[in-house]
Amino acid sequence: MASTFALLVISLVVIGVLKLLSVLYNTLTYWKNKGLPRDPSILLSWKVFLGYKSFVDFSDYLYYTIPKAKYMGTIDFTQPAIVLRDVDLMREIMVKNFDYFPDHRSFVDESVEPLFGKNIFSLRGDRWREMRNTLSPSFTASKMKFMFELISKCSHDFVNYLVDHPELCQSMETKDAFRRYTNDVIATAAFGINVNSMEDRDNEFYVRGIQATQFPSGMWVTIKFAMLRGLPWLSKKLGLSFFPAITTTFFRKVVGETISTRREQKIVRPDMIHLLMQARDKVGEDKLTLDDIVSQAFIFFFAGFDTSSTLMCFAAHELAVHQDIQERLYKEVLEHLAEGNGEITYESMTKMTYMDMVLNEALRKYPPVVMLDRLCAKRFELPPAAPGYKSVIVEPENSLLFPIYSLHHDPKYFPNPQKFDPERFSEENKDKIVPYSYLPFGEGPRKCIGNRFVLMETKMLLAHLLQKFTLKMVDKTEEPVVFSKKEFTLKPVGGFWIGLEKRKA
């Protein structure tokens, strides 16, 4: 009996191993069998997940491995994917043939992690279109103008706190500081809650934001991520989740209580929560559940909390390094302060052309994401990747990857790419930029819906900061920046460090 059981176990193990090897072999030979040029180190992505290679190095490796090809095959974690290099082809995919590539890859199944799986970034097909139409009114110029005063107050409070606490300014880690500012902005603009994270340093909004956006590295985290993405049914059974349970509970509670309070007290506040409440009244609670609303509010918080603050950090770093650029921007800020009797108005902010140039260059040199993606929805024929190759059929569920960081640093499009040069985006030069070589927020219907909001809160912070302080390099300032191998987004080793020197009145 024992020997029969042992034989059965051994047989099952052998069958499992053979099945795994078969899947691995088919994956590794997928593009070779289609006659497509492919990444010779096809499992390099695992080195990124395990922290041995930075995401930037990985992107550059893919981008320059076969420089004469418009695209090439690779493996995205465990799935076949295509890396695009040709900007005309990128336009075809993102805009002209959007119906063939309307979605993003799903990182987490919504049944396992509804907080992330139900948001506008992750949704697909008709559900994405419906949510996009629901949320778009939140980001029109009129809504930006309404939220301007809320953001202006947050930036004033933040800068005034620094003025009153000079001990913080001698050498400041800007990621922590700017994240507190973006926390306050999102809390008021999306949730209608006023917090001051510089004074109340451990407020729950900030603490939960840290928990949601800081992912530990290591082998177990990589295995967990792989299971959440590839084996959602098993992840659900094991109780695995992308975020701590307390984070999900907190955001569900905040949104639920906000909705209840507004209904009971008939409060109307034209922000994201209000628009989602209106949409829910139209379609019914069965089609737009509390989890749906919580998920949209959370992704707005998630992106605003971390991505926006990172842009601010890189912009402040470059201004500290380049005093001439900082001085020119400071003079522009002073001009608009004079026009507004000491205040920056919404109208004057939109006229800050050099501010736009500085931020555009910061987004070029340090894009919010290293790679963008699209997921194939129906069979599509790509033209030959290079002379001597045949056209390739992209199948549904195949991923297409856009190496944005590498594109932004290609000398063919941006000469001397490591140089921080806002003049690339001047009125005289911006028309020289090759279309689709600059994609900090993506393009087409899937373009980042909140890009206007991100730029507005960043402009307000820099304007008020420069009004009171000169940004300086300190001993801990790393120039040039060396990117961490432990992060999937652009973060320097050792953090962001600058000094703030109070300007004389």
Side-chain angles (χ1 to χ4, degrees):
M1 183 74 178
S3 60
T4 304
F5 178 74
L7 186 61
L8 178 63
V9 170
I10 291 170
S11 299
L12 289 173
V13 169
V14 170
I15 291 170
V17 170
L18 289 174
K19 178 66 175 175
L20 180 63
L21 289 174
S22 173
V23 170
L24 185 62
Y25 175 79
N26 289 335
T27 301
L28 293 176
T29 58
Y30 184 86
W31 295 120
K32 182 181 179 181
N33 293 338
K34 284 180 172 281
L36 179 66
R38 64 178 189 139
D39 166 17
S41 178
I42 209 153
L43 292 179
L44 187 63
S45 60
W46 280 92
K47 290 187 177 181
V48 178
F49 282 99
L50 294 174
Y52 295 114
K53 205 83 171 159
S54 77
F55 209 10
V56 164
D57 290 339
F58 177 56
S59 174
D60 280 347
Y61 171 81
L62 292 176
Y63 189 78
Y64 290 107
T65 293
I66 310 177
K68 293 184 179 179
K70 294 180 178 180
Y71 58 90
M72 72 171 187
T74 188
I75 298 298
D76 173 34
F77 208 49
T78 58
Q79 300 294 322
I82 288 176
V83 179
L84 295 177
R85 299 186 70 259
D86 182 76
V87 293
D88 291 330
L89 204 49
M90 291 181 188
R91 179 181 62 83
E92 292 280 318
I93 299 301
M94 288 183 169
V95 180
K96 188 176 179 181
N97 291 294
F98 174 77
D99 287 345
Y100 289 85
F101 302 92
D103 301 317
H104 290 299
R105 296 166 294 170
S106 294
F107 287 97
V108 183
D109 191 279
E110 69 175 64
S111 66
V112 179
E113 189 59 86
L115 194 63
F116 200 83
K118 288 175 177 278
N119 68 64
I120 190 170
F121 181 87
S122 301
L123 289 176
R124 297 183 182 182
D126 291 338
R127 290 185 67 200
W128 167 76
R129 288 181 176 84
E130 290 167 3
M131 190 58 69
R132 176 87 180 194
N133 291 336
T134 299
L135 293 181
S136 291
S138 298
F139 300 98
T140 60
S142 61
K143 289 298 190 300
M144 291 299 103
K145 190 172 182 177
F146 167 80
M147 288 190 278
F148 176 83
E149 295 301 327
L150 299 175
I151 296 173
S152 182
K153 183 182 184 307
C154 289
S155 59
H156 266 304
D157 290 346
F158 175 81
V159 173
N160 288 338
Y161 185 89
L162 292 175
V163 170
D164 295 336
H165 294 79
E167 71 280 2
L168 299 176
C169 301
Q170 294 176 5
S171 184
M172 185 172 75
E173 208 288 304
T174 55
K175 183 63 178 177
D176 174 72
F178 293 165
R179 203 158 40 186
R180 293 179 183 279
Y181 163 68
T182 56
N183 181 69
D184 297 354
V185 169
I186 298 299
T188 187
F191 295 86
I193 296 171
N194 293 319
V195 293
N196 187 324
S197 301
M198 293 299 280
E199 290 184 355
D200 183 7
R201 301 188 72 79
D202 294 319
N203 70 81
E204 195 166 10
F205 242 93
Y206 182 76
V207 171
R208 300 303 167 217
I210 292 292
Q211 289 177 338
T213 56
Q214 286 192 337
F215 302 110
S217 57
M219 178 64 78
W220 163 239
V221 176
T222 302
I223 294 171
K224 178 181 170 182
F225 180 83
M227 290 182 67
L228 284 166
R229 188 173 175 190
L231 300 169
W233 60 272
L234 182 58
S235 301
K236 195 171 184 179
K237 227 169 214 183
L238 295 174
L240 298 179
S241 61
F242 204 58
F243 304 106
I246 193 169
T247 302
T248 305
T249 301
F250 169 73
F251 281 99
R252 186 176 283 117
K253 179 185 175 187
V254 167
V255 174
E257 289 178 352
T258 300
I259 291 174
S260 297
T261 301
R262 291 187 183 189
R263 288 205 186 283
E264 291 168 9
Q265 300 181 18
K266 295 185 174 15
I267 296 172
V268 175
R269 195 174 188 274
D271 56 14
M272 180 179 287
I273 296 293
H274 178 68
L275 286 164
L276 288 166
M277 288 172 64
Q278 286 183 313
R280 194 184 196 186
D281 291 339
K282 288 180 183 178
V283 302
E285 294 187 12
D286 56 328
K287 288 189 176 180
L288 192 62
T289 65
L290 179 61
D291 271 352
D292 290 323
I293 294 176
V294 172
S295 188
Q296 307 322 313
F298 175 75
I299 195 64
F300 189 51
F301 176 85
F302 185 89
F305 184 84
D306 193 67
T307 309
S308 301
S309 60
T310 300
L311 168 60
M312 295 168 194
C313 290
F314 279 122
H317 170 88
E318 293 292 348
L319 291 174
V321 171
H322 300 96
Q323 291 293 310
D324 56 333
I325 294 174
Q326 182 181 166
E327 186 61 22
R328 181 175 168 185
L329 183 57
Y330 170 60
K331 288 178 179 176
E332 181 179 70
V333 169
L334 286 184
E335 287 173 15
H336 291 286
L337 282 167
E339 289 175 11
N341 295 319
E343 284 294 329
I344 295 170
T345 64
Y346 178 79
E347 286 73 21
S348 66
M349 184 201 69
T350 60
K351 296 174 185 174
M352 290 187 185
T353 55
Y354 195 64
M355 177 76 82
D356 287 332
M357 289 162 59
V358 168
L359 291 184
N360 284 334
E361 177 66 349
L363 287 165
R364 180 202 65 81
K365 193 173 179 185
Y366 309 103
V369 291
V370 177
M371 283 192 184
L372 289 173
D373 71 280
R374 291 292 185 274
L375 192 68
C376 183
K378 48 188 177 181
R379 298 183 89 214
F380 183 82
E381 184 175 347
L382 288 175
Y389 288 93
K390 296 180 181 179
S391 59
V392 170
I393 300 296
V394 185
E395 301 289 348
E397 296 301 310
N398 283 166
S399 299
L400 269 65
L401 305 179
F402 306 79
I404 304 302
Y405 178 90
S406 304
L407 193 68
H408 286 191
H409 289 76
D410 188 337
K412 180 170 68 174
Y413 303 118
F414 300 99
N416 196 5
Q418 294 304 325
K419 181 183 179 183
F420 186 80
D421 183 12
E423 290 301 321
R424 300 179 202 271
F425 296 91
S426 67
E427 283 297 320
E428 297 77 23
N429 294 326
K430 65 181 182 181
D431 289 339
K432 299 174 186 175
I433 295 173
V434 176
Y436 290 82
S437 65
Y438 178 69
L439 297 166
F441 295 109
E443 200 50 81
R446 276 281 185 174
K447 184 176 181 178
C448 174
I449 193 173
N451 66 309
R452 191 179 289 173
F453 184 91
V454 170
L455 292 172
M456 182 168 69
E457 65 175 335
T458 304
K459 288 178 183 180
M460 291 307 298
L461 173 77
L462 292 179
H464 287 137
L465 203 59
L466 290 174
Q467 182 186 1
K468 301 289 186 180
F469 295 100
T470 300
L471 282 54
K472 301 276 191 178
M473 294 177 69
V474 295
D475 290 342
K476 289 185 177 180
T477 305
E478 292 289 339
E479 175 60 26
V481 171
V482 177
F483 297 116
S484 170
K485 296 177 182 178
K486 306 297 182 184
E487 305 280 352
F488 292 121
T489 53
L490 300 181
K491 303 286 175 63
V493 175
F496 298 92
W497 290 91
I498 62 169
L500 301 178
E501 184 180 286
K502 192 172 179 182
R503 293 185 188 273
K504 294 177 182 179

